[in-house]
Amino acid sequence: MDLQLQERTALVTGASMGIGAGIARVLAREGVRVAITARRGELLEQLAKEIEDAGAVRPVIILGDITDATDVARIAAEATSALGQVDILVNAAGGSRPIKTDAPDSDWDEAFALNFTSARRLTQALLPAMRERRWGRVVNISGSMEPRSLNSATAAKAAMHTWAKGLACDVAPDGVTVNCIPPGRINSEQILNRLHPTEENRQAFIAKMIPIGYFGEPEDIANLVAFLASPLARYITGAVMPVDGGMRFSSN
């Protein structure tokens, strides 16, 4: 299927590893000119070389910290300058933040800065130009809404869902869609090194929670991102679409 993405442009956050890197690879493969941003420059360079070696256009690298409001404005400006315009924004940065019931405000503030506020700020920075052109795509990588323990990132992703649904209604008449993808267990740095660090733990979780029988790959998320970013998905907005192998406690 031709996704009609040739010559479109995209900014992908959290692109140094895992889901963000997978999204950058798939979009570039579909002919999108991509800007990638994260804090780890060496990993971004490796990804850019990999994409170029695969025959796609080398991504624009923008180093930055999306939890910093000044950096967000700079990243948006640099991406726009380098690409000419940003048609597609993929807010892929984020991270789990298990916390105690008496966690201080600073822990909550950090989790929201990374998992919600950064996406809101970057979207707000790029949205006026999308609306003026009457075409744009915002895809947010969010999270499960059925936590089994206290996690400040889960609360931040819940905020992302409701924000995105409301925003989608406001900008739909201007040709801009806004959607969220909550990933299940994906083979990424965070999942493999922190959440499920042993093969025994992974297999036990799969047996109990994942009907499809295995963890997903970043490209399983990226393929849906590419579709939602395409003109073919023009009638899908305000949606929350899990990609989780049927993980039974996923919920909208």
Side-chain angles (χ1 to χ4, degrees):
M1 178 184 292
D2 179 7
L3 295 180
Q4 303 172 24
L5 283 170
Q6 291 82 7
E7 300 305 317
R8 291 290 183 184
T9 61
L11 172 62
V12 182
T13 71
S16 58
M17 291 284 286
I19 292 172
I23 291 167
R25 290 187 194 99
V26 169
L27 289 178
R29 186 183 68 204
E30 292 293 329
V32 177
R33 292 183 294 125
V34 181
I36 51 177
T37 186
R39 291 177 293 187
R40 294 182 285 183
E42 181 180 345
L43 294 177
L44 292 178
E45 289 286 352
Q46 291 174 11
L47 175 62
K49 183 178 185 304
E50 176 189 340
I51 289 173
E52 186 177 29
D53 288 348
V57 175
R58 180 181 174 86
V60 174
I61 294 173
I62 305 175
L63 282 176
D65 179 359
I66 60 167
T67 66
D68 181 276
T70 302
D71 255 11
V72 167
R74 178 182 58 80
I75 290 166
E78 288 188 15
T80 300
S81 176
L83 298 173
Q85 62 189 45
V86 177
D87 299 314
I88 303 157
L89 170 62
V90 185
N91 291 307
S96 179
R97 294 294 187 270
I99 58 172
K100 297 180 179 179
T101 56
D102 60 350
D105 285 354
S106 58
D107 288 355
W108 285 96
D109 292 343
E110 187 274 339
F112 269 76
L114 175 63
N115 289 285
F116 171 60
T117 306
S118 60
R120 178 186 60 76
R121 285 173 173 159
L122 198 49
T123 302
Q124 286 180 200
L126 295 172
L127 200 56
M130 291 182 181
R131 298 179 82 175
E132 184 176 351
R133 293 192 304 272
R134 302 193 63 78
W135 202 96
R137 299 288 186 265
V138 179
V139 183
N140 306 297
I141 306 305
S142 57
S144 170
M145 296 300 298
E146 291 294 329
R148 289 298 181 264
S149 61
L150 190 59
N151 191 314
S152 50
T154 305
K157 294 301 189 182
M160 173 179 278
H161 283 178
T162 54
W163 161 77
K165 284 176 177 287
L167 178 64
C169 295
D170 286 347
V171 301
D174 300 319
V176 179
T177 66
V178 185
N179 293 290
C180 294
I181 302 175
R185 294 297 190 264
I186 302 298
N187 285 317
S188 64
E189 181 182 44
Q190 183 173 183
I191 295 296
L192 298 180
N193 294 345
R194 295 177 57 186
L195 198 55
H196 297 288
T198 69
E199 185 62 25
E200 180 181 11
N201 178 273
R202 293 167 202 157
Q203 291 305 317
F205 186 88
I206 288 168
K208 184 178 181 181
M209 296 291 186
I210 305 180
I212 209 166
Y214 53 88
F215 284 3
E217 297 297 333
E219 286 72 16
D220 292 317
I221 305 293
N223 290 333
L224 178 56
V225 170
F227 175 71
L228 291 174
S230 78
L232 303 183
R234 65 176 191 168
Y235 207 57
I236 302 173
T237 195
V240 176
M241 306 175 69
V243 178
D244 60 11
M247 196 167 74
R248 68 182 58 175
F249 58 75
S250 283
S251 170
N252 291 0

